[in-house]
Amino acid sequence: MTLYKSCCYNLFGLLLQVLLNWRWLNKSQWLSREELYEIQVRKLREIVRRAYEGAVFYRRLYGNSHPEINNLIDIKKLPIITKEDVRKVPLEERIVAGTDVSKCVKKTTSGTTGVPVTVLEDPYSAAYLEGLHLRRLWSYGVRPWHRIFRIVVGPAEKVATQTIADTAGIWGRIRTNRVVRLPSADDVRNHLKLFKEKGAAVLIAPPSYFRALREVCENTETMLHLKTAVTWGELLDMKTRKTLSDFFGAEVFDGYGCIEVAPIGGLAWECPTHTAYHINIDSVVLEFLRDGTDVAPGEPGEVVATSLFRHSTPMIRYYLGDKATPMDDECPCGRGLPLLKNIEGRIVDSIKRPDGGYISPYTVMHTLQEVENLEQFRVVQRSDYSIEVQVKATQSIEKVLEEVGRRCNILFPGMHYSIKLVESIGPEKGKKFKIVSHE
Ligand SMILES: [Zn+2]
C-alpha cells in the first residue's frame, strides 16, 4: 500500500467501516427470524473455522476433526468454556494466527467478577461494536446534537484511549467530540458540576453510578434533568429504574453485555418500546441452558454466549453464569431480533456510610486493585457499618497490608474498618462473587 493510501485508510478507514456496519445492522434488525438465523449460522461457521484453524486453544479443545457447523444445533457439539478455562491458558494461545497485535487493544474484564479475562479488540471488532452501539442509541432517539456522557470503568489515565475507536483517525475525533468519557473512580460531585455546565442529555453508566449521582444531587440540593439514561453492567432493579425516571426525569434503557463477548448491551438491549430485551442474534449466539440442555421459552436458563465478531480472540460457548429467560413472543416494534427477559446479572453493592451516603463499589475496586502484589480482595460490610477488608497476598505481605491500610484511610474516612489476611477468596457455594458484600 502506498503511504498516501495507508494515511487515507488510517484517517477514514474506521469511519467507513463503522458507517457500513451501522447501515447493515440497521437493516438486519428488521429481517425475519429465519433470515436472521441464516446469518447467524453463516457467521458461526466462519468464527468456528477461524478459531479452529488459527488458535492453539481451540485446536486443542476441539481435537483432530474440524467441527462442522451446518445449522445452529451443531453448536451443541462444541464444549462450553468457563472463565477459569480461558484464564488458565496464555493469551497468545487464544489469538488467531496472523492477527496484527500491534493494531489491537487488550480489554480486560473488571475485577467485580473475581476472575479477570483478557480479549483483544482489533479494528474490525471495534468498528463492529461501534455499529451496534449506534443502532441501539439511534433507536432510543439519541441524535448527534445530544450531549452524551459515558462513565467508564477503569483507571483515569486509560479512559481516553480505551478502545481503538477513540484514537482512530476521523472517527476517533468525531467520537471524542460527541461522547465525553469519565472514569468511574472520579469524585461524582465533579461529574455533576460537569453535567450541569455542559447540559448532559444522555448518560451511559452502571446502575450503582446512578444511585451515587442521586445521592450527590440530594446532598448538594442540585436538580439534574437527563433525557435518556442507558444502563449496563449490573442488575437494574425496579427501585433504581424508578429513581432514574422519577428523580432525573430520564427515559431508561437497560442493556446486557460482557466485555469478553460483546460489551454494553452488545448481547441484548432493551427495546425502545420497553417490551423486553432484543438479543443481537445477528452478532452473537446466546444459549439458555439447564443441566446442559436448552430451556423452553419462558423458563430461566444459564447464559452461554458466543461472539460472532471477535475475530482475533474468538469466544465460543462461553459460560457467563448469569440467568435469563428467553421468550418466543413477537415484539410490537416489529424487529426480528428475539426477546429476552428477567436478566439476573451481577449485583454490585455499595459501601453504606452512617450519614446515609455511600461509596461506589467501582471506587473501592480501582483504589485497591492497583496495590502492588495484592492478588485478590473482598470488602465485607456488617450491619453496624463496620468494614472488613479481606486481602490475599503471598509476596511482600507487610507492604501490601500497609498500602491497603493507607488507601482504606482515604476510602473510608471516619469509619471503622479492619484488614484481614486470608488464604483464599472465592464465591460462596452457589452464589456469585461480589467484590463488596453485606453481612
Ligand atoms: Zn422491540
Side-chain angles (χ1 to χ4, degrees):
M1 210 190 278
T2 64
L3 186 63
Y4 172 73
K5 272 190 179 168
S6 126
C7 283
C8 272
Y9 183 80
N10 287 340
L11 273 175
F12 298 106
L14 201 82
L15 171 67
L16 192 66
Q17 274 306 316
V18 170
L19 294 178
L20 287 173
N21 287 332
W22 184 22
R23 194 177 70 163
W24 185 81
L25 286 160
N26 254 337
K27 284 186 188 156
S28 67
Q29 63 183 332
W30 304 104
L31 293 176
S32 70
R33 192 72 47 83
E34 289 67 35
E35 286 170 306
L36 282 162
Y37 282 136
E38 262 175 46
I39 292 169
Q40 197 182 31
V41 170
R42 187 166 41 79
K43 287 188 173 185
L44 179 67
R45 190 183 305 131
E46 174 57 20
I47 202 87
V48 169
R49 188 193 62 76
R50 278 185 71 89
Y52 183 74
E53 290 175 5
V56 177
F57 172 66
Y58 284 101
R59 172 63 74 110
R60 199 166 46 218
L61 193 69
Y62 297 160
N64 287 331
S65 59
H66 199 307
E68 267 198 43
I69 304 289
N70 295 318
N71 49 52
L72 209 52
I73 205 85
D74 290 337
I75 198 173
K76 307 289 180 198
K77 291 188 273 185
L78 308 173
I80 292 173
I81 56 172
T82 64
K83 284 189 171 73
E84 286 73 20
D85 293 334
V86 174
R87 216 188 158 202
K88 261 191 271 174
V89 293
L91 178 62
E92 297 72 47
E93 293 192 0
R94 288 193 288 115
I95 299 175
V96 169
T99 302
D100 184 350
V101 180
S102 69
K103 288 208 168 87
C104 300
V105 169
K106 273 188 197 172
K107 307 273 289 178
T108 302
T109 59
S110 65
T112 49
T113 51
V115 188
V117 168
T118 302
V119 289
L120 282 191
E121 189 171 271
D122 52 75
Y124 173 84
S125 60
Y128 195 89
L129 275 168
E130 293 292 295
L132 274 179
H133 295 325
L134 282 173
R135 159 164 94 177
R136 183 175 172 216
L137 289 179
W138 195 266
S139 81
Y140 294 162
V142 178
R143 295 294 176 266
W145 50 89
H146 291 137
R147 178 61 78 179
I148 305 172
F149 282 83
R150 183 167 151 192
I151 303 304
V152 180
V153 173
E157 63 276 12
K158 283 194 184 157
V159 161
T161 54
Q162 236 209 358
T163 85
I164 295 164
D166 297 323
T167 50
I170 305 278
W171 177 250
R173 232 169 289 162
I174 295 172
R175 197 177 191 265
T176 318
N177 270 332
R178 298 312 319 158
V179 184
V180 183
R181 297 156 70 84
L182 300 171
S184 62
D186 269 3
D187 190 329
V188 181
R189 282 170 292 195
N190 295 339
H191 287 183
L192 178 59
K193 270 186 219 149
L194 206 61
F195 298 153
K196 294 294 287 181
E197 261 170 46
K198 305 268 182 192
V202 181
L203 181 54
I204 306 172
S208 61
Y209 179 87
F210 281 105
R211 291 192 290 265
L213 183 63
R214 181 198 171 136
E215 193 90 26
V216 169
C217 284
E218 282 175 342
N219 292 344
T220 55
E221 293 180 1
T222 311
M223 286 278 286
L224 178 68
H225 177 78
L226 296 168
K227 179 188 175 299
T228 309
V230 180
T231 53
W232 55 271
E234 301 161 12
L235 181 83
L236 178 66
D237 57 287
M238 288 313 289
K239 205 173 149 203
T240 309
R241 191 181 269 273
K242 204 167 166 351
T243 288
L244 286 169
S245 54
D246 294 355
F247 191 82
F248 297 111
E251 187 166 13
V252 189
F253 300 101
D254 190 30
Y256 177 45
C258 71
I259 288 179
E260 305 95 301
V261 180
I264 316 195
L267 297 175
W269 48 290
E270 187 168 341
C271 176
T273 65
H274 302 287
T275 306
Y277 297 72
H278 281 292
I279 306 171
N280 283 330
I281 62 164
D282 47 8
S283 314
V284 298
V285 181
L286 287 193
E287 297 169 73
F288 307 93
L289 308 177
R290 190 188 300 131
D291 302 325
T293 40
D294 285 327
V295 296
E299 284 178 22
E302 292 176 314
V303 181
V304 171
T306 298
S307 175
L308 299 177
F309 59 88
R310 285 230 182 271
H311 281 185
S312 301
T313 44
M315 295 303 268
I316 300 168
R317 296 205 89 198
Y318 180 61
Y319 177 79
L320 290 179
D322 303 322
K323 272 194 183 154
T325 307
M327 300 160 73
D328 60 0
D329 313 38
E330 295 301 321
C331 189
C333 76
R335 282 178 179 80
L337 302 170
L339 294 175
L340 179 67
K341 65 176 182 181
N342 299 344
I343 300 164
E344 294 174 28
R346 65 187 144 123
I347 301 161
V348 175
D349 278 354
S350 307
I351 296 283
K352 296 187 176 86
R353 287 196 312 248
D355 63 5
Y358 93 120
I359 302 158
S360 162
Y362 294 99
T363 307
V364 175
M365 207 167 77
H366 288 291
T367 308
L368 292 181
Q369 76 180 12
E370 311 244 307
V371 174
E372 208 176 329
N373 291 318
L374 174 62
E375 289 163 31
Q376 218 186 346
F377 66 92
R378 175 162 60 188
V379 179
V380 180
Q381 184 169 40
R382 301 197 184 87
S383 54
D384 63 355
Y385 294 103
S386 69
I387 291 162
E388 180 179 276
V389 182
Q390 298 172 353
V391 170
K392 184 186 164 196
T394 43
Q395 285 178 53
S396 321
I397 293 171
E398 268 179 34
K399 265 196 176 164
V400 171
L401 292 177
E402 195 184 311
E403 185 57 22
V404 169
R406 196 182 70 76
R407 291 181 187 223
C408 284
N409 268 333
I410 302 166
L411 273 174
F412 314 123
M415 292 174 73
H416 179 76
Y417 71 82
S418 58
I419 299 167
K420 186 179 171 191
L421 189 68
V422 294
E423 278 182 5
S424 71
I425 300 174
E428 288 167 49
K429 212 168 183 290
K431 283 188 179 173
K432 283 188 146 198
F433 178 79
K434 290 207 277 186
I435 209 103
V436 171
S437 62
H438 291 92
E439 276 182 356

PDB file of all heavy atoms in Angstrom, residues 324-347:
ATOM      1  N   ALA A 324     -31.170 -15.903  32.635  1.00  0.00           N
ATOM      2  CA  ALA A 324     -32.100 -15.065  31.887  1.00  0.00           C
ATOM      3  C   ALA A 324     -33.154 -15.961  31.258  1.00  0.00           C
ATOM      4  O   ALA A 324     -32.961 -17.176  31.131  1.00  0.00           O
ATOM      5  CB  ALA A 324     -31.364 -14.275  30.822  1.00  0.00           C
ATOM      6  N   THR A 325     -34.281 -15.342  30.879  1.00  0.00           N
ATOM      7  CA  THR A 325     -35.411 -16.108  30.354  1.00  0.00           C
ATOM      8  C   THR A 325     -35.688 -15.736  28.897  1.00  0.00           C
ATOM      9  O   THR A 325     -36.084 -14.598  28.612  1.00  0.00           O
ATOM     10  CB  THR A 325     -36.672 -15.803  31.201  1.00  0.00           C
ATOM     11  OG1 THR A 325     -36.342 -16.028  32.572  1.00  0.00           O
ATOM     12  CG2 THR A 325     -37.836 -16.672  30.788  1.00  0.00           C
ATOM     13  N   PRO A 326     -35.464 -16.686  27.952  1.00  0.00           N
ATOM     14  CA  PRO A 326     -35.787 -16.392  26.541  1.00  0.00           C
ATOM     15  C   PRO A 326     -37.304 -16.423  26.338  1.00  0.00           C
ATOM     16  O   PRO A 326     -38.003 -17.160  27.040  1.00  0.00           O
ATOM     17  CB  PRO A 326     -35.115 -17.539  25.785  1.00  0.00           C
ATOM     18  CG  PRO A 326     -35.036 -18.662  26.766  1.00  0.00           C
ATOM     19  CD  PRO A 326     -34.945 -18.049  28.136  1.00  0.00           C
ATOM     20  N   MET A 327     -37.800 -15.652  25.412  1.00  0.00           N
ATOM     21  CA  MET A 327     -39.246 -15.605  25.164  1.00  0.00           C
ATOM     22  C   MET A 327     -39.509 -15.954  23.704  1.00  0.00           C
ATOM     23  O   MET A 327     -38.662 -15.699  22.853  1.00  0.00           O
ATOM     24  CB  MET A 327     -39.783 -14.186  25.427  1.00  0.00           C
ATOM     25  CG  MET A 327     -39.547 -13.719  26.846  1.00  0.00           C
ATOM     26  SD  MET A 327     -39.650 -11.923  26.955  1.00  0.00           S
ATOM     27  CE  MET A 327     -41.393 -11.635  26.782  1.00  0.00           C
ATOM     28  N   ASP A 328     -40.700 -16.492  23.407  1.00  0.00           N
ATOM     29  CA  ASP A 328     -40.993 -16.705  21.987  1.00  0.00           C
ATOM     30  C   ASP A 328     -42.038 -15.721  21.464  1.00  0.00           C
ATOM     31  O   ASP A 328     -42.545 -15.886  20.358  1.00  0.00           O
ATOM     32  CB  ASP A 328     -41.347 -18.171  21.666  1.00  0.00           C
ATOM     33  CG  ASP A 328     -42.573 -18.628  22.439  1.00  0.00           C
ATOM     34  OD1 ASP A 328     -43.129 -17.814  23.204  1.00  0.00           O
ATOM     35  OD2 ASP A 328     -42.964 -19.805  22.280  1.00  0.00           O
ATOM     36  N   ASP A 329     -42.349 -14.705  22.252  1.00  0.00           N
ATOM     37  CA  ASP A 329     -43.310 -13.689  21.804  1.00  0.00           C
ATOM     38  C   ASP A 329     -42.689 -12.805  20.719  1.00  0.00           C
ATOM     39  O   ASP A 329     -41.485 -12.620  20.699  1.00  0.00           O
ATOM     40  CB  ASP A 329     -43.699 -12.747  22.953  1.00  0.00           C
ATOM     41  CG  ASP A 329     -44.045 -13.486  24.227  1.00  0.00           C
ATOM     42  OD1 ASP A 329     -43.377 -14.492  24.526  1.00  0.00           O
ATOM     43  OD2 ASP A 329     -44.961 -13.035  24.920  1.00  0.00           O
ATOM     44  N   GLU A 330     -43.545 -12.274  19.872  1.00  0.00           N
ATOM     45  CA  GLU A 330     -43.081 -11.278  18.903  1.00  0.00           C
ATOM     46  C   GLU A 330     -43.132  -9.919  19.587  1.00  0.00           C
ATOM     47  O   GLU A 330     -43.989  -9.664  20.437  1.00  0.00           O
ATOM     48  CB  GLU A 330     -43.987 -11.260  17.676  1.00  0.00           C
ATOM     49  CG  GLU A 330     -43.982 -12.545  16.852  1.00  0.00           C
ATOM     50  CD  GLU A 330     -42.603 -12.905  16.328  1.00  0.00           C
ATOM     51  OE1 GLU A 330     -41.863 -11.984  15.931  1.00  0.00           O
ATOM     52  OE2 GLU A 330     -42.260 -14.107  16.322  1.00  0.00           O
ATOM     53  N   CYS A 331     -42.215  -9.032  19.216  1.00  0.00           N
ATOM     54  CA  CYS A 331     -42.209  -7.698  19.822  1.00  0.00           C
ATOM     55  C   CYS A 331     -43.098  -6.749  18.984  1.00  0.00           C
ATOM     56  O   CYS A 331     -43.051  -6.797  17.754  1.00  0.00           O
ATOM     57  CB  CYS A 331     -40.792  -7.170  19.873  1.00  0.00           C
ATOM     58  SG  CYS A 331     -40.649  -5.656  20.822  1.00  0.00           S
ATOM     59  N   PRO A 332     -43.859  -5.908  19.639  1.00  0.00           N
ATOM     60  CA  PRO A 332     -44.723  -4.989  18.861  1.00  0.00           C
ATOM     61  C   PRO A 332     -43.929  -4.030  17.967  1.00  0.00           C
ATOM     62  O   PRO A 332     -44.491  -3.479  17.015  1.00  0.00           O
ATOM     63  CB  PRO A 332     -45.491  -4.208  19.940  1.00  0.00           C
ATOM     64  CG  PRO A 332     -44.806  -4.472  21.222  1.00  0.00           C
ATOM     65  CD  PRO A 332     -44.085  -5.777  21.087  1.00  0.00           C
ATOM     66  N   CYS A 333     -42.633  -3.862  18.240  1.00  0.00           N
ATOM     67  CA  CYS A 333     -41.839  -2.941  17.414  1.00  0.00           C
ATOM     68  C   CYS A 333     -41.596  -3.508  16.018  1.00  0.00           C
ATOM     69  O   CYS A 333     -41.241  -2.780  15.102  1.00  0.00           O
ATOM     70  CB  CYS A 333     -40.506  -2.616  18.092  1.00  0.00           C
ATOM     71  SG  CYS A 333     -39.317  -3.951  17.988  1.00  0.00           S
ATOM     72  N   GLY A 334     -41.720  -4.844  15.882  1.00  0.00           N
ATOM     73  CA  GLY A 334     -41.555  -5.461  14.574  1.00  0.00           C
ATOM     74  C   GLY A 334     -40.137  -5.942  14.268  1.00  0.00           C
ATOM     75  O   GLY A 334     -39.891  -6.498  13.198  1.00  0.00           O
ATOM     76  N   ARG A 335     -39.202  -5.750  15.195  1.00  0.00           N
ATOM     77  CA  ARG A 335     -37.838  -6.234  14.941  1.00  0.00           C
ATOM     78  C   ARG A 335     -37.837  -7.769  14.932  1.00  0.00           C
ATOM     79  O   ARG A 335     -38.563  -8.399  15.709  1.00  0.00           O
ATOM     80  CB  ARG A 335     -36.881  -5.744  16.033  1.00  0.00           C
ATOM     81  CG  ARG A 335     -36.463  -4.303  15.859  1.00  0.00           C
ATOM     82  CD  ARG A 335     -35.540  -3.831  16.978  1.00  0.00           C
ATOM     83  NE  ARG A 335     -35.146  -2.449  16.740  1.00  0.00           N
ATOM     84  CZ  ARG A 335     -35.903  -1.399  17.022  1.00  0.00           C
ATOM     85  NH1 ARG A 335     -37.099  -1.569  17.554  1.00  0.00           N
ATOM     86  NH2 ARG A 335     -35.477  -0.171  16.773  1.00  0.00           N
ATOM     87  N   GLY A 336     -36.964  -8.333  14.096  1.00  0.00           N
ATOM     88  CA  GLY A 336     -36.865  -9.798  14.026  1.00  0.00           C
ATOM     89  C   GLY A 336     -35.996 -10.364  15.133  1.00  0.00           C
ATOM     90  O   GLY A 336     -35.966 -11.580  15.344  1.00  0.00           O
ATOM     91  N   LEU A 337     -35.274  -9.511  15.848  1.00  0.00           N
ATOM     92  CA  LEU A 337     -34.386  -9.987  16.913  1.00  0.00           C
ATOM     93  C   LEU A 337     -35.245 -10.534  18.061  1.00  0.00           C
ATOM     94  O   LEU A 337     -36.120  -9.827  18.558  1.00  0.00           O
ATOM     95  CB  LEU A 337     -33.507  -8.841  17.429  1.00  0.00           C
ATOM     96  CG  LEU A 337     -32.624  -8.134  16.387  1.00  0.00           C
ATOM     97  CD1 LEU A 337     -32.011  -6.876  16.980  1.00  0.00           C
ATOM     98  CD2 LEU A 337     -31.526  -9.066  15.892  1.00  0.00           C
ATOM     99  N   PRO A 338     -35.001 -11.788  18.488  1.00  0.00           N
ATOM    100  CA  PRO A 338     -35.859 -12.391  19.512  1.00  0.00           C
ATOM    101  C   PRO A 338     -35.731 -11.711  20.882  1.00  0.00           C
ATOM    102  O   PRO A 338     -34.803 -10.939  21.122  1.00  0.00           O
ATOM    103  CB  PRO A 338     -35.370 -13.838  19.576  1.00  0.00           C
ATOM    104  CG  PRO A 338     -34.054 -13.859  18.931  1.00  0.00           C
ATOM    105  CD  PRO A 338     -33.958 -12.699  18.009  1.00  0.00           C
ATOM    106  N   LEU A 339     -36.663 -12.056  21.754  1.00  0.00           N
ATOM    107  CA  LEU A 339     -36.746 -11.347  23.042  1.00  0.00           C
ATOM    108  C   LEU A 339     -36.240 -12.175  24.223  1.00  0.00           C
ATOM    109  O   LEU A 339     -36.236 -13.394  24.200  1.00  0.00           O
ATOM    110  CB  LEU A 339     -38.197 -10.937  23.307  1.00  0.00           C
ATOM    111  CG  LEU A 339     -38.795  -9.899  22.364  1.00  0.00           C
ATOM    112  CD1 LEU A 339     -40.273  -9.694  22.676  1.00  0.00           C
ATOM    113  CD2 LEU A 339     -38.052  -8.562  22.451  1.00  0.00           C
ATOM    114  N   LEU A 340     -35.886 -11.431  25.247  1.00  0.00           N
ATOM    115  CA  LEU A 340     -35.296 -11.990  26.465  1.00  0.00           C
ATOM    116  C   LEU A 340     -35.817 -11.165  27.622  1.00  0.00           C
ATOM    117  O   LEU A 340     -36.024  -9.958  27.482  1.00  0.00           O
ATOM    118  CB  LEU A 340     -33.775 -11.812  26.336  1.00  0.00           C
ATOM    119  CG  LEU A 340     -32.866 -12.269  27.443  1.00  0.00           C
ATOM    120  CD1 LEU A 340     -32.930 -13.783  27.526  1.00  0.00           C
ATOM    121  CD2 LEU A 340     -31.429 -11.849  27.127  1.00  0.00           C
ATOM    122  N   LYS A 341     -36.043 -11.805  28.783  1.00  0.00           N
ATOM    123  CA  LYS A 341     -36.446 -11.005  29.947  1.00  0.00           C
ATOM    124  C   LYS A 341     -35.780 -11.532  31.213  1.00  0.00           C
ATOM    125  O   LYS A 341     -35.093 -12.556  31.185  1.00  0.00           O
ATOM    126  CB  LYS A 341     -37.966 -11.008  30.091  1.00  0.00           C
ATOM    127  CG  LYS A 341     -38.541 -12.373  30.401  1.00  0.00           C
ATOM    128  CD  LYS A 341     -40.041 -12.296  30.641  1.00  0.00           C
ATOM    129  CE  LYS A 341     -40.561 -13.676  30.992  1.00  0.00           C
ATOM    130  NZ  LYS A 341     -41.965 -13.758  31.225  1.00  0.00           N
ATOM    131  N   ASN A 342     -36.004 -10.830  32.295  1.00  0.00           N
ATOM    132  CA  ASN A 342     -35.504 -11.227  33.623  1.00  0.00           C
ATOM    133  C   ASN A 342     -34.021 -11.580  33.648  1.00  0.00           C
ATOM    134  O   ASN A 342     -33.638 -12.671  34.077  1.00  0.00           O
ATOM    135  CB  ASN A 342     -36.288 -12.427  34.174  1.00  0.00           C
ATOM    136  CG  ASN A 342     -37.761 -12.112  34.336  1.00  0.00           C
ATOM    137  OD1 ASN A 342     -38.145 -10.937  34.330  1.00  0.00           O
ATOM    138  ND2 ASN A 342     -38.578 -13.127  34.479  1.00  0.00           N
ATOM    139  N   ILE A 343     -33.197 -10.677  33.209  1.00  0.00           N
ATOM    140  CA  ILE A 343     -31.759 -10.945  33.235  1.00  0.00           C
ATOM    141  C   ILE A 343     -31.269 -10.768  34.666  1.00  0.00           C
ATOM    142  O   ILE A 343     -31.387  -9.691  35.250  1.00  0.00           O
ATOM    143  CB  ILE A 343     -30.998  -9.988  32.296  1.00  0.00           C
ATOM    144  CG1 ILE A 343     -31.496 -10.173  30.863  1.00  0.00           C
ATOM    145  CG2 ILE A 343     -29.493 -10.242  32.383  1.00  0.00           C
ATOM    146  CD1 ILE A 343     -31.115  -9.043  29.937  1.00  0.00           C
ATOM    147  N   GLU A 344     -30.740 -11.860  35.223  1.00  0.00           N
ATOM    148  CA  GLU A 344     -30.207 -11.758  36.589  1.00  0.00           C
ATOM    149  C   GLU A 344     -28.707 -11.556  36.504  1.00  0.00           C
ATOM    150  O   GLU A 344     -27.928 -12.483  36.667  1.00  0.00           O
ATOM    151  CB  GLU A 344     -30.517 -13.028  37.381  1.00  0.00           C
ATOM    152  CG  GLU A 344     -31.990 -13.230  37.620  1.00  0.00           C
ATOM    153  CD  GLU A 344     -32.273 -14.581  38.271  1.00  0.00           C
ATOM    154  OE1 GLU A 344     -31.419 -15.117  38.981  1.00  0.00           O
ATOM    155  OE2 GLU A 344     -33.382 -15.082  38.041  1.00  0.00           O
ATOM    156  N   GLY A 345     -28.337 -10.340  36.207  1.00  0.00           N
ATOM    157  CA  GLY A 345     -26.919 -10.022  36.097  1.00  0.00           C
ATOM    158  C   GLY A 345     -26.305  -9.881  37.476  1.00  0.00           C
ATOM    159  O   GLY A 345     -26.940 -10.157  38.481  1.00  0.00           O
ATOM    160  N   ARG A 346     -25.078  -9.423  37.516  1.00  0.00           N
ATOM    161  CA  ARG A 346     -24.448  -9.306  38.832  1.00  0.00           C
ATOM    162  C   ARG A 346     -24.999  -8.125  39.611  1.00  0.00           C
ATOM    163  O   ARG A 346     -25.408  -7.116  39.032  1.00  0.00           O
ATOM    164  CB  ARG A 346     -22.938  -9.208  38.676  1.00  0.00           C
ATOM    165  CG  ARG A 346     -22.475  -7.974  37.972  1.00  0.00           C
ATOM    166  CD  ARG A 346     -20.988  -8.122  37.741  1.00  0.00           C
ATOM    167  NE  ARG A 346     -20.632  -7.539  36.471  1.00  0.00           N
ATOM    168  CZ  ARG A 346     -19.734  -6.582  36.369  1.00  0.00           C
ATOM    169  NH1 ARG A 346     -19.133  -6.098  37.417  1.00  0.00           N
ATOM    170  NH2 ARG A 346     -19.435  -6.092  35.190  1.00  0.00           N
ATOM    171  N   ILE A 347     -25.003  -8.314  40.878  1.00  0.00           N
ATOM    172  CA  ILE A 347     -25.471  -7.239  41.737  1.00  0.00           C
ATOM    173  C   ILE A 347     -24.235  -6.584  42.337  1.00  0.00           C
ATOM    174  O   ILE A 347     -23.385  -7.259  42.900  1.00  0.00           O
ATOM    175  CB  ILE A 347     -26.361  -7.798  42.858  1.00  0.00           C
ATOM    176  CG1 ILE A 347     -27.554  -8.527  42.234  1.00  0.00           C
ATOM    177  CG2 ILE A 347     -26.821  -6.707  43.804  1.00  0.00           C
ATOM    178  CD1 ILE A 347     -28.239  -9.490  43.157  1.00  0.00           C
TER     179      ILE A 347
END
